[in-house]
Amino acid sequence: MPRPEVLERIKSAEEEADEIVALAQNDRDERIAEARERAEEIRTEAEQEARDLKERRLEEAREEIDTETERVLENGEQEREALAERAQNRVDEVTDHVVELFQEDVHAQT
């Protein structure tokens, strides 16, 4: 093979190799860009899921607090009613006792 043809074939092979390398680099850059975009999408989705989970947990905690508050208030009301009833019963006992003491004092003075 004549020398100029060999040089031309080498030059052509080098150009072809350069094109292959350039295509590979472009492909690599595109894949990296796509991977970064996907990573950003995943991060954004994860952040949204975390916010949603936080809101759900806060709402559940608020509901538990409301339920517990209602229970405590109801128990407190029942205890108040029981105390009021016992106090009323004691008023009658104390009144009877005071009347007895008064009668004893009146009889003692006569």
Side-chain angles (χ1 to χ4, degrees):
M1 184 180 290
R3 193 170 186 163
E5 288 178 18
V6 171
L7 291 176
E8 188 61 36
R9 287 183 75 196
I10 291 172
K11 184 178 176 183
S12 177
E14 287 176 347
E15 289 173 355
E16 191 175 322
D18 288 342
E19 287 178 19
I20 291 171
V21 169
L23 288 173
Q25 287 175 338
N26 286 339
D27 187 48
R28 180 201 65 196
D29 292 344
E30 286 177 11
R31 288 178 188 231
I32 288 172
E34 288 172 1
R36 285 185 177 142
E37 287 176 18
R38 182 64 186 134
E40 179 63 24
E41 289 172 4
I42 291 169
R43 185 187 62 77
T44 301
E45 289 172 6
E47 287 174 349
Q48 184 60 47
E49 288 175 11
R51 282 190 294 273
D52 293 345
L53 179 60
K54 175 184 151 190
E55 286 301 316
R56 281 194 307 272
R57 286 187 177 169
L58 282 173
E59 185 58 33
E60 289 171 1
R62 286 183 187 111
E63 288 174 5
E64 287 178 20
I65 289 169
D66 290 345
T67 300
E68 182 65 12
T69 299
E70 287 298 318
R71 188 189 65 75
V72 167
L73 289 174
E74 186 176 313
N75 287 344
E77 180 63 22
Q78 289 172 355
E79 288 177 17
R80 186 196 64 76
E81 289 173 1
L83 283 171
E85 185 177 330
R86 284 198 313 261
Q88 184 60 44
N89 292 337
R90 297 282 306 197
V91 166
D92 294 341
E93 291 174 19
V94 169
T95 303
D96 291 343
H97 182 66
V98 168
V99 168
E100 286 176 20
L101 290 176
F102 179 73
Q103 288 174 345
E104 289 174 8
D105 280 348
V106 167
H107 289 300
Q109 290 179 2
T110 57

